[in-house]
């Protein structure tokens, strides 16, 4: 995208400066950007005044390279009045020209614009740019959409009533009867349709002309006005056959298409509305004296305790402090079975306590809840633009002027061929009407909205349209083992001690080293040890290897075979069983020695083996990446049917292994759930994070699974493939429709009425095809 030059002076906010030296460094960095004539940084106001015409992204990059940042703001705007891809493109260009805007994306299907700008850009400036482009800024809420849907329905019914006599006349012509009303009656019926119900086309078309571009409305206004004007001329000249029905029926068909489009858009946006509707409006908060008081759910704060009775929705994310209940999480995760929650269990906003009373301590409210973040992620995905859409944008930018040129050539060509003004005008009108590019503008966003909405209902969150395209090309899925293919809750299966060391002593020392850890292996040791454990001093985590510390005056190590090798201790004749994950307890010193070998095992998730089989059916290979020993990882892989295994890996090793696969030309998806998986998730073509995992893993992923079920991995690939297939079908239909329809209209084989019906049918077909995705289930 070519960057618009900035105004003579731009005020740029700068964050991170602490002294005059910082300000000078930023000034030098900005001054070196090509196109900058001068830069002055004010440390007190934390702003830079930049003169010249350098692109804004280049300035932001220069500030970032200097070690500082440019604060950003994001806007989500509702846009009214857009009718085609050309409209969306014009709004984007208008928003990008606003000083301080870094990026703007407009989604025709959702009628929304997402704008990224430097801090300080005001929504009023964006709204003014939208209005100057000929459109309106509005809130796209369910309440706002309802009256608009009523207006579309009213206009359609009125147009149908006024056009009904024309249909009767057309039926009569098919039977050789003249049932068409008289000429002046036709004028009286057609004029309100043309200039009242069709006024929207004139307004939008005039706005496009003022902006120096064209859109679908301009084509409709030109085409129907030509048919109406020709008929009025014929009426005054006493012609027997008039063409008022052409203008009236074309507008009727286009209004029908718009009404059906509006309904389909509301249906595709229903996923977000359904999610947000799960939030209860009222909560029962426990007061300090133990009384229950009803308060608005929006008034809850972190630390509050709320009471949830059987059958009620949970009003905020939190942790259960009292009570037990089965919780229905299906609306949020897609999991149909109730999940048991008791003290210490986490619960999410909008889920339902089925059969017990819970007291929940609030941990997150508002935009920080899982529900709100899920809705935000779905909304962002639906507003995002697929790379394939760039081709559509380029075509749409030149489409309207080309069509007007073709219509003019059609008019001149038929006049030169001696067809007469009447026939020439009608054929030019048909060209204008058939070419309306609605279907082209709706093809991609409608499919993305329907596909991401269906995926969200199944517990699959897709970050953006680019993730959809990447997922559609995946041919290898690499799984992290622990917590992804396995339950992530290992048990201590064996304790083997060196001579002179008792099992109780080994467990006591190991538990002391693990007392403050949240690692699954640590929990297994602590559960087995039981009771009080001695304190640990000089504790250190050894990434990818284990831990060390001082317990009872002894320097101890606990960790992997790699740590054993690094320590120089002898295994003392102890050997790990192949199916165990080993952890060695070592006493460090001049003569390091092994005290014990702890063996852990972890059960595979119930859906793991079926997931691998389903991937194979889809033609996708599966691989396993693990920090465990080759023997342990290999045994698990054999049980699941995975042929390719890489074991004994550190986090950096996993990322390198993914990069090596990609270097051979394979398209790799990485599935993981922990901090140690984040580098590999980022290194893959597509990162898939388990929803039970850490925030950093989820942030690095293109797809997030809301429940820890490996079966959702092939389901995610299925829904993205179907979405991509639908996009291609829609674009094929939209391009093919115009390629076939334009020559038919130009050569007189398509009347304006049929052209209007075909145009409306094209848009509705694209939307109907996209809505088939809404019925997808994993």
């Amino acid at each position: 995208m070519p960057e618009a030059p900035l105004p003579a002076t731009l005020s740029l906010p700068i964050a991170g400066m602490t002294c005059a030296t910082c300000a000078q460094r930023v000034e030098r960095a900005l001054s070196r950007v090509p196109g900058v004539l001068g830069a002055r940084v004010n440390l007190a106001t934390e702003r830079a005044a930049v003169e010249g015409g350098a692109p804004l992204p280049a300035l932001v990059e220069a500030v970032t390279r200097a070690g500082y940042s440019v604060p950003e703001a994001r806007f989500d705007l509702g846009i009214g009045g857009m009718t085609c891809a050309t409209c969306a493109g014009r709004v984007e260009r208008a928003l990008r020209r606003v000083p301080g805007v870094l990026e703007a994306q407009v989604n025709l299907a959702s009628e929304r614009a997402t704008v990224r700008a430097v801090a300080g850009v005001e929504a009023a400036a964006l709204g003014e740019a939208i209005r100057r482009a000929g459109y309106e800024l509005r809130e796209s809420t369910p309440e706002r959409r309802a009256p608009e849907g009523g207006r579309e329905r009213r206009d359609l019914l009125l147009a149908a009533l006024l056009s009904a006599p024309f249909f009767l006349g057309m039926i009569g012509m098919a039977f050789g009867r003249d049932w068409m009303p008289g000429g002046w009656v036709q004028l009286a019926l057609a004029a309100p349709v043309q200039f009242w119900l069709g006024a929207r086309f004139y307004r939008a078309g005039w706005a496009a002309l003022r902006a120096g571009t064209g859109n679908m409305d301009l084509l409709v206004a030109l085409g129907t006005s030509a048919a109406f004007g020709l008929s009025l001329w014929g009426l005054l000249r006493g012609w027997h056959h008039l063409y008022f029905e052409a203008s009236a029926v074309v507008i009727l068909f286009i209004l029908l298409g718009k009404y059906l489009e509006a309904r389909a858009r509301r249906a595709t946006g229903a996923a977000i509305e359904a999610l947000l509707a799960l939030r209860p409006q009222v909560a029962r908060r426990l007061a300090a004296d133990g009384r229950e008081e009803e308060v608005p759910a929006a008034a809850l704060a972190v630390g509050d305790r709320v009471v949830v009775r059987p059958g009620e929705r949970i009003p905020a994310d939190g942790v259960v402090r009292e009570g037990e209940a089965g919780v229905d999480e299906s609306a949020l995760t897609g999991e149909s079975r109730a999940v048991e929650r008791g003290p210490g269990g986490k619960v999410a906003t909008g889920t339902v306590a089925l059969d017990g009373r819970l007291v929940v301590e609030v941990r997150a409210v508002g935009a920080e809840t899982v529900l709100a973040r899920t809705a935000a992620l779905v909304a962002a995905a639906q507003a995002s633009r697929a790379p394939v859409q760039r081709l559509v944008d380029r075509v749409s930018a030149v489409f309207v002027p080309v069509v007007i040129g073709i219509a003019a050539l059609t008019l001149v060509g038929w006049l030169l061929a001696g067809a007469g003004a009447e026939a020439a005008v009608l054929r030019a009108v048909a060209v204008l009407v058939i070419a309306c590019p609605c279907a082209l503008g709706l093809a991609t966003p409608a499919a993305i909205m329907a596909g991401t909405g269906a995926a969200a209902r199944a517990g699959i969150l897709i970050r953006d349209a680019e993730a959809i395209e990447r997922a559609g090309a995946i041919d290898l899925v690499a799984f992290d083992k622990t917590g992804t293919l396995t339950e992530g809750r290992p048990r201590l299966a064996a304790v083997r001690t060196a001579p002179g060391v008792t099992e109780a002593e080994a467990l006591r020392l190991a538990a002391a080293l693990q007392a403050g850890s949240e690692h699954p292996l640590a929990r297994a040791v602590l559960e087995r040890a039981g009771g009080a454990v001695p304190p640990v001093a000089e504790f250190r985590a050894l990434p990818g290897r284990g831990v060390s510390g001082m317990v009872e005056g002894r320097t101890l190590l606990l960790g992997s075979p790699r740590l054993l090798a690094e320590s120089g201790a002898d295994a003392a004749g102890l050997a790990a069983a192949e199916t165990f994950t080993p952890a060695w307890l070592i006493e460090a010193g001049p003569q390091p020695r092994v005290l014990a070998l702890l063996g852990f095992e972890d059960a595979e998730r119930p859906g793991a083996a079926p997931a691998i089989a389903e991937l194979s059916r889809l033609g996708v290979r599966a691989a396993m990446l693990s920090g465990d020993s080759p023997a342990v990882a290999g045994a698990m892989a054999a049980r699941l049917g995975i042929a390719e295994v890489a074991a004994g890996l550190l986090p950096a090793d996993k990322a390198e292994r993914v990069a090596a696969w990609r270097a051979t030309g394979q398209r790799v998806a990485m599935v993981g759930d922990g901090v140690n998986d984040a580098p590999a998730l980022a290194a893959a073509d597509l990162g898939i994070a388990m929803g039970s995992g850490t925030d950093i893993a989820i942030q690095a992923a293109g797809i997030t699974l809301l429940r820890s079920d490996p079966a959702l991995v092939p389901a995610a690939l299925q829904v993205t493939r179907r979405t991509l297939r639908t996009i291609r079908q829609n674009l094929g239909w939209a391009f093919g429709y115009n390629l076939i329809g334009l020559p038919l209209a130009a050569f007189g084989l398509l009347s304006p009425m049929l052209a209007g019906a075909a145009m409306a049918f094209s848009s509705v077909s694209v939307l109907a095809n996209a809505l088939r995705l809404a019925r997808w289930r994993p």
Side-chain angles (χ1 to χ4, degrees):
M1 179 194 78
E3 297 293 341
L6 293 181
T9 301
L10 175 76
S11 179
L12 199 65
I14 310 292
M17 298 187 298
T18 57
C19 62
T21 307
C22 297
Q24 292 169 5
R25 186 178 301 137
V26 174
E27 275 187 5
R28 287 195 298 271
L30 289 171
S31 298
R32 285 194 291 267
V33 176
V36 171
L37 301 177
R40 299 183 308 280
V41 176
N42 186 320
L43 180 62
T45 61
E46 296 185 303
R47 300 192 78 84
V50 184
E51 297 177 1
L56 180 57
L59 300 176
V60 173
E61 185 182 353
V63 173
T64 304
R65 280 202 310 267
Y68 306 93
S69 64
V70 176
E72 293 185 5
R74 290 181 179 269
F75 301 88
D76 183 29
L77 310 172
I79 312 290
M82 296 189 299
T83 56
C84 63
T86 310
C87 299
R90 186 159 68 255
V91 174
E92 275 189 2
R93 288 192 295 274
L95 288 170
R96 285 171 181 161
R97 283 195 292 267
V98 174
V101 169
L102 290 161
E103 184 183 9
Q105 287 190 344
V106 176
N107 187 313
L108 175 64
S110 63
E111 297 179 300
R112 298 200 73 76
T114 304
V115 181
R116 188 167 64 90
V118 299
V121 172
E122 296 189 358
L126 302 176
E128 182 58 29
I130 291 167
R131 281 187 285 273
R132 280 202 309 270
Y135 303 91
E136 62 173 313
L137 179 67
R138 69 184 184 197
E139 284 300 316
S140 184
T141 61
E143 292 77 16
R144 177 62 186 253
R145 284 178 177 270
E148 183 184 331
R151 179 197 164 196
E152 296 283 359
R153 186 165 53 250
R154 182 207 67 187
D155 287 0
L156 176 63
L157 289 174
L158 287 172
L161 286 172
L162 292 168
S163 301
F166 292 121
F167 277 108
L168 186 63
M170 292 158 63
I171 293 170
M173 281 191 286
F175 291 99
R177 304 292 181 87
D178 186 5
W179 293 346
M180 194 66 74
W184 293 101
V185 175
Q186 290 185 45
L187 174 63
L189 292 169
V193 177
Q194 183 72 41
F195 301 111
W196 175 34
L197 302 177
R200 61 173 73 182
F201 304 116
Y202 289 102
R203 285 194 296 268
W206 174 243
L209 278 178
R210 282 192 307 169
T213 61
N215 62 1
M216 173 197 130
D217 300 290
L218 181 61
L219 298 181
V220 174
L222 288 173
T224 57
S225 297
F228 187 91
L230 180 66
S231 300
L232 182 59
W233 172 256
L235 177 62
L236 297 175
R237 296 292 299 272
W239 292 358
H240 175 68
H241 188 73
L242 305 173
Y243 299 97
F244 285 117
E245 80 276 6
S247 66
V249 174
V250 162
I251 289 175
L252 170 65
F253 280 136
I254 292 171
L255 290 177
L256 172 63
K258 285 187 173 297
Y259 172 70
L260 294 174
E261 284 173 21
R263 284 191 57 184
R265 279 200 296 264
R266 286 194 292 273
T268 55
I272 299 171
E273 293 171 13
L275 279 172
L276 295 178
L278 296 175
R279 295 179 297 195
Q281 300 301 307
V282 177
R284 289 187 180 83
R285 183 169 60 191
L286 276 180
D289 59 3
R291 288 184 301 105
E292 295 180 18
E293 54 181 6
E294 285 199 355
V295 298
L300 292 176
V302 174
D304 285 349
R305 292 200 173 198
V306 294
V307 174
V308 183
R309 296 174 181 172
E312 292 182 341
R313 290 196 181 275
I314 294 167
D317 288 10
V319 176
V320 176
R321 292 306 180 202
E322 297 176 23
E324 293 183 354
V327 177
D328 179 2
E329 299 180 345
S330 59
L332 192 59
T333 67
E335 174 59 70
S336 58
R337 293 169 298 181
V339 180
E340 293 299 321
R341 293 285 185 253
K346 293 181 179 179
V347 291
T349 307
T351 56
V352 181
L354 297 175
D355 53 7
R357 177 183 182 273
L358 299 177
V359 175
V360 177
E361 181 182 324
V362 176
R363 289 290 180 87
V365 294
E368 298 304 314
T369 63
V370 172
L371 179 67
R373 287 189 295 174
T374 299
L377 196 56
V378 175
Q382 293 188 341
S384 64
R385 171 161 302 182
V388 71
Q389 183 70 18
R390 297 182 192 122
L391 169 65
V392 178
D393 294 342
R394 288 197 296 270
V395 171
S396 298
V398 298
F399 192 76
V400 172
V402 168
V403 167
I404 292 175
I406 293 173
L409 287 174
T410 301
L411 177 66
V412 173
W414 282 105
L415 287 173
L416 292 176
E422 185 179 340
V425 168
L426 282 177
R427 284 156 190 171
V429 168
V431 167
L432 293 172
V433 173
I434 196 71
C436 295
C438 286
L440 202 59
L442 292 167
T444 301
I448 289 171
M449 290 181 72
T452 53
R457 285 190 290 274
I460 302 166
L461 296 186
I462 301 172
R463 182 177 295 278
D464 53 29
E466 189 170 350
I468 292 175
E469 290 211 9
R470 290 180 176 226
I474 293 300
D475 47 35
L476 170 67
V477 175
F479 289 89
D480 169 59
K481 181 178 79 70
T482 304
T484 303
L485 291 173
T486 67
E487 294 283 0
R489 293 192 297 271
R491 68 180 188 89
L492 183 57
V495 180
R496 297 176 182 169
T497 59
V501 180
T502 66
E503 180 176 316
E505 179 189 5
L507 286 173
R508 186 179 77 253
L509 297 175
L513 285 172
Q514 300 280 36
S517 174
E518 290 296 320
H519 194 283
L521 297 185
R523 287 197 293 270
V525 172
L526 292 166
E527 286 173 8
R528 179 74 173 270
V533 296
V536 60
E538 301 178 18
F539 176 85
R540 273 199 319 133
L542 307 172
R545 304 190 305 285
V547 295
S548 69
M550 182 83 71
V551 181
E552 296 178 346
R554 306 158 74 179
T555 301
L556 301 176
L557 307 172
L558 178 66
S560 66
R562 181 174 300 194
L563 185 63
L564 172 67
E566 290 177 1
S567 72
D570 181 20
L574 301 178
E578 284 192 358
T579 57
F580 289 164
T581 297
W584 299 90
L585 179 64
I586 306 160
E587 184 173 3
Q591 295 293 324
R593 70 184 186 109
V594 170
L595 300 180
L597 166 66
L598 310 182
F600 301 86
E601 63 180 13
D602 192 5
E604 67 263 26
R605 291 187 182 277
I612 303 304
E614 180 64 14
L615 285 173
S616 178
R617 191 188 68 78
L618 293 174
V620 178
R621 289 169 38 237
M624 178 193 288
L625 301 180
S626 175
D628 269 339
S629 68
V632 174
M636 176 63 70
R639 290 203 299 272
L640 298 178
I642 298 175
E644 194 164 353
V645 182
L649 303 178
L650 295 174
D653 298 330
K654 293 182 182 180
E656 287 175 8
R657 192 72 194 86
V658 169
W661 277 320
R662 292 185 65 196
T664 64
Q666 298 178 83
R667 302 290 182 86
V668 183
M670 173 68 195
V671 187
D673 71 332
V675 172
N676 62 338
D677 298 321
L681 290 169
D685 292 288
L686 176 72
I688 301 178
M690 298 293 238
S692 61
T694 60
D695 285 345
I696 190 169
I698 292 170
Q699 288 166 9
I703 293 178
T704 299
L705 310 179
L706 286 181
R707 63 180 191 273
S708 299
D709 183 356
L712 287 182
V713 174
L717 298 186
Q718 284 178 331
V719 72
T720 53
R721 287 181 177 187
R722 285 193 60 177
T723 303
L724 274 177
R725 187 164 65 245
T726 301
I727 289 173
R728 294 187 184 112
Q729 289 168 349
N730 283 353
L731 289 175
W733 171 262
F735 277 117
Y737 160 84
N738 281 304
L739 287 173
I740 294 169
L742 277 171
L744 287 177
F747 287 106
L749 302 175
L750 206 59
S751 72
M753 285 177 294
L754 289 176
M759 188 279 297
F761 177 72
S762 173
S763 297
V764 173
S765 297
V766 161
L767 284 163
N769 190 41
L771 285 175
R772 290 190 307 125
L773 280 169
R775 297 196 297 272
W776 176 84
R777 295 290 183 273

